[in-house]
């Protein structure tokens, strides 16, 4: 490679770096979505068609605590619960207990 070819590539380096930073920023910004956990309680674990939405929470731990508290205060000793991550309707990225 000649000196002129190297100089031409060096002049483009700042432009390439700016483009790279913008692309990486966009990718990580889009994938760094805030977590929102939706809580669902089932009064009877044998009848999962009867569910109660108990709200949304910023962490899995908050969702779990709210679900267990709701089950206890409602005397649903045969109940169950789940917490869904970033739900849209009844579709969630994942569900956990």
């Amino acid at each position: 490679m000649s000196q002129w070819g190297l100089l031409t590539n060096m002049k483009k380096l700042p432009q390439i770096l700016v483009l790279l930073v913008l692309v990486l920023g966009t990718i990580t910004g889009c994938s760094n979505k805030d977590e929102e956990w939706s809580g669902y309680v089932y009064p009877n674990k044998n009848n999962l068609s009867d569910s109660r939405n108990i709200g949304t929470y910023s962490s899995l731990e908050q969702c779990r605590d709210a679900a267990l508290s709701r089950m206890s205060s409602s005397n649903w000793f045969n109940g169950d619960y789940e917490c869904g991550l970033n739900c849209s309707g009844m579709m969630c990225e994942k569900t956990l207990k």
Side-chain angles (χ1 to χ4, degrees):
M1 182 180 280
S2 71
Q3 287 182 338
W4 291 110
L6 183 59
L7 286 175
T8 302
N9 287 337
M10 292 297 286
K11 288 180 181 178
K12 292 181 181 179
L13 186 61
Q15 295 169 342
I16 292 170
L17 288 175
V18 168
L19 182 62
L20 184 63
V21 167
L22 289 174
V23 168
L24 289 176
T26 300
I27 291 170
T28 58
C30 292
S31 66
N32 194 10
K33 183 178 177 183
D34 290 335
E35 288 188 348
E36 182 178 83
W37 291 90
S38 300
Y40 301 93
V41 175
Y42 306 94
N44 181 347
K45 65 182 174 187
N46 297 316
N47 180 11
L48 299 182
S49 64
D50 181 16
S51 67
R52 314 289 164 88
N53 183 329
I54 59 168
T56 56
Y57 306 90
S58 58
S59 73
L60 176 58
E61 292 75 23
Q62 289 175 346
C63 182
R64 285 176 176 156
D65 290 344
L68 292 172
S69 176
R70 177 70 178 269
M71 288 172 48
S72 176
S73 67
S74 299
N75 294 320
W76 293 334
F77 301 111
N78 192 37
D80 204 0
Y81 74 94
E82 64 184 346
C83 295
L85 177 62
N86 299 328
C87 299
S88 176
M90 291 300 291
M91 296 297 296
C92 305
E93 289 178 17
K94 66 179 173 180
T95 57
L96 299 171
K97 278 186 82 170

